Amino acid sequence: MSKIAFTTLGCKVNLYDSEAMAELFAEKGYEIADFDEVADIYVINTCTVTNFGDKKSRQMIRRARRRNPDSIIVATGCYAQVSPETVAGIDGINIVIGTKDRSKVVEIVENYRAEQGVLNAVGDIKGEKEFERLKVSKLKDRTRAYIKIQEGCNRYCSYCIIPYARGPVRSRKPEDIMDEVKALARNGFKEVVLTGIHVASYGIDLGNITLADIIEMVHEVDGIERIRFSSMEPRAVSDEFIERMSKLQKVCEHYHLSLQSGSDTTLKNMNRKYTSEEYAAACERLRKAFPHVAITTDIIVGFPTETEENFKESYDFAKKVKLSKIHVFPYSPKEGTPAAKMRPQVAPEVKNERSHKMLELSDKLNREFMSAYINKPMEVLFERLDNGYYEGHTRNYIKVLCKSDRDLTNQLVTVRLTDIAGEETMYGELIQGEI
């Protein structure tokens, strides 16, 4: 039996792709090993969102080669797709695949011979029209299952390489999604996260179905108790969408609503398709429908041409709409995107200063959000035991630490939140009569 090991860089979609590929190998009798073990085959699922992602991908390829000089090293994912010649030139690489034909990865690896040298199997992604069928039915050590329902993006934000790495929008067939959800439910998963590169665009290529339709279908699956979905833009959170979600008890009160900047000038330069006013209106609609909703976001600081005034607009806007958590990213130029050519570029020390300020605001907003739940009972789905505490999340994605003599893993339990434990984390105690 051959051993194969995976490592995944980047987003949850990449993580799903890795798990799906691992399942293909497992079905063929391969033993799935930890990446730190000596294996016969190593698969590095690469990321290229930032230059750091490229660098980390190269490091992992070299690390695998050092671990077993006789192994087969496979690079797949976004960095492999957009820079196949560069990746093929990394010392130690054997096979480069990219972001298509992952469903054929076992066949490609088994047919590979060392005398071939480096096999560059990266295909053109721009003309892809079909969602590549990959599935995950078994997951280790997790109670939350990610389900990929969509691939690709048509937005072409000026800073983003992903449309070039993932191609145009392709939606997964509803019957395939439902088969996977039902299989995960049978295997004991209570929470699913519908994910994709631009999940709100689900169905635009199919023509007769939307994201809301899929969520309603998943809601009917017995055994699934919670539904989440990945990042959305404010225009997707329409009155109709919110009305439909408000009728679904399994949909969690947590929306990752993509912002990127609170300055309309910067949003326009980013080629984002909304204004700060539209974003604020979406937040207001969500809070009206879901009183306990957590609204989290991403903000880029130091985008090219961002002035001090633009940054202040972004900072003041985030403060005004009282986001629950901000993921802050200093802008990193990405070759091949329009933003990389914009002038002036913001100096690194200015980006660091702005990042620090925005992170401080995020911490303040996050503590204010959690403070509202001290001494409140909240439902928690516990995921694991770590350092004497069971860890889980509320429906609005507060991480909760709770001590118990009973096994709480994969249990939905109402606990009283007692105090703030740290970033995005609170302590909780079991309520008498629970479990």
Side-chain angles (χ1 to χ4, degrees):
M1 182 187 290
S2 294
K3 278 189 178 183
I4 183 167
F6 288 78
T7 191
T8 306
L9 303 167
C11 64
K12 301 298 185 186
V13 176
N14 250 17
L15 182 63
Y16 178 94
D17 292 341
S18 291
E19 288 170 341
M21 287 187 286
E23 197 160 299
L24 290 173
F25 278 98
E27 288 171 355
K28 290 286 189 175
Y30 287 76
E31 178 185 347
I32 309 300
D34 188 86
F35 195 75
D36 290 329
E37 296 179 41
V38 174
D40 304 294
I41 305 158
Y42 292 93
V43 178
I44 295 89
N45 200 350
T46 64
C47 176
T48 193
V49 168
T50 66
N51 293 329
F52 178 77
D54 294 353
K55 180 181 178 182
K56 187 70 174 175
S57 298
R58 294 191 295 269
Q59 288 174 345
M60 299 310 285
I61 291 167
R62 292 176 182 128
R63 184 180 299 177
R65 177 55 68 209
R66 288 194 300 270
R67 194 156 288 134
N68 183 3
D70 298 322
S71 62
I72 294 174
I73 310 292
V74 182
T76 183
C78 292
Y79 183 37
Q81 181 67 45
V82 299
S83 304
E85 292 83 8
T86 301
V87 174
I90 297 171
D91 186 38
I93 199 73
N94 298 106
I95 302 171
V96 187
I97 297 178
T99 58
K100 61 178 287 189
D101 296 330
R102 275 86 47 92
S103 59
K104 302 174 185 174
V105 65
V106 179
E107 177 186 346
I108 291 170
V109 169
E110 290 185 341
N111 289 335
Y112 175 77
R113 296 293 177 267
E115 55 269 22
Q116 292 178 246
V118 178
L119 172 62
N120 186 344
V122 176
D124 183 17
I125 201 74
K126 293 193 295 293
E128 282 298 296
K129 291 183 171 58
E130 295 292 324
F131 182 93
E132 184 175 23
R133 293 188 67 178
L134 292 167
K135 66 178 178 65
V136 174
S137 57
K138 299 173 184 176
L139 295 164
K140 291 198 311 179
D141 306 324
R142 293 240 308 275
T143 59
R144 182 183 302 113
Y146 290 88
I147 300 172
K148 183 178 170 185
I149 67 168
Q150 177 273 335
E151 177 69 277
C153 182
N154 298 341
R155 294 289 167 158
Y156 290 93
C157 298
S158 64
Y159 54 84
C160 187
I161 197 71
I162 293 304
Y164 308 94
R166 291 280 181 169
V169 167
R170 287 98 72 204
S171 302
R172 188 174 182 180
K173 289 186 171 65
E175 55 270 29
D176 283 351
I177 296 171
M178 296 310 296
D179 286 346
E180 185 164 324
V181 173
K182 290 171 183 176
L184 289 164
R186 287 194 298 270
N187 284 324
F189 287 91
K190 294 182 179 178
E191 181 174 311
V192 293
V193 184
L194 307 181
T195 191
I197 297 299
H198 190 261
V199 73
S201 65
Y202 177 83
I204 63 169
D205 54 325
L206 300 180
N208 59 351
I209 193 165
T210 66
L211 176 63
D213 295 327
I214 280 293
I215 294 169
E216 288 171 345
M217 292 167 67
V218 173
H219 192 271
E220 298 305 308
V221 176
D222 290 338
I224 299 301
E225 301 293 339
R226 287 183 171 185
I227 302 169
R228 301 185 190 272
F229 30 88
S230 55
S231 176
M232 299 178 70
E233 292 179 359
R235 286 186 178 177
V237 186
S238 64
D239 287 331
E240 182 202 356
F241 183 83
I242 291 173
E243 182 184 359
R244 292 172 72 174
M245 294 305 102
S246 67
K247 296 174 182 176
L248 305 178
Q249 295 302 308
K250 296 178 182 179
V251 173
C252 290
E253 297 90 346
H254 174 221
Y255 284 75
H256 191 78
L257 205 60
S258 183
L259 178 57
Q260 306 303 354
S261 177
S263 163
D264 286 335
T265 300
T266 305
L267 285 173
K268 186 176 181 180
N269 289 337
M270 289 177 166
N271 196 31
R272 301 293 284 180
K273 311 295 185 184
Y274 53 84
T275 64
S276 60
E277 184 179 347
E278 288 176 294
Y279 189 97
C283 291
E284 187 175 342
R285 290 195 297 270
L286 284 169
R287 289 186 173 120
K288 186 176 180 180
F290 311 108
H292 295 294
V293 70
I295 303 175
T296 56
T297 201
D298 303 317
I299 290 181
I300 296 171
V301 298
F303 187 78
T305 76
E306 182 188 65
T307 64
E308 198 61 42
E309 181 183 352
N310 296 150
F311 171 73
K312 187 175 186 303
E313 289 170 348
S314 189
Y315 180 95
D316 290 345
F317 179 80
K319 185 178 180 180
K320 181 182 75 174
V321 296
K322 291 188 177 297
L323 298 159
S324 308
K325 174 72 179 177
I326 304 168
H327 301 274
V328 182
F329 299 93
Y331 171 74
S332 174
K334 188 65 193 171
E335 187 179 349
T337 63
K341 299 176 182 176
M342 289 181 181
R343 296 294 182 269
Q345 295 280 324
V346 177
E349 59 272 19
V350 175
K351 284 191 275 192
N352 290 337
E353 181 186 350
R354 292 176 185 175
S355 178
H356 181 70
K357 286 180 180 177
M358 196 67 81
L359 284 168
E360 282 187 336
L361 175 62
S362 176
D363 291 343
K364 181 175 182 292
L365 293 172
N366 185 237
R367 292 186 76 86
E368 288 176 0
F369 177 76
M370 291 190 295
S371 294
Y373 294 97
I374 292 176
N375 292 325
K376 297 285 180 66
M378 297 289 283
E379 180 194 79
V380 178
L381 175 58
F382 285 100
E383 297 152 24
R384 62 174 183 154
L385 178 64
D386 187 46
N387 291 325
Y389 286 92
Y390 282 95
E391 296 182 2
H393 286 83
T394 63
R395 290 170 59 89
N396 58 359
Y397 215 64
I398 297 172
K399 183 178 176 180
V400 177
L401 307 178
C402 186
K403 287 185 176 291
S404 174
D405 295 331
R406 305 172 193 175
D407 186 3
L408 301 182
T409 307
N410 206 28
Q411 298 294 312
L412 280 164
V413 184
T414 301
V415 306
R416 182 176 290 105
L417 304 186
T418 58
D419 199 4
I420 295 172
E423 185 180 2
E424 296 184 272
T425 307
M426 297 185 72
Y427 291 115
E429 61 182 17
L430 292 178
I431 297 172
Q432 191 71 25
E434 282 292 331
I435 297 290

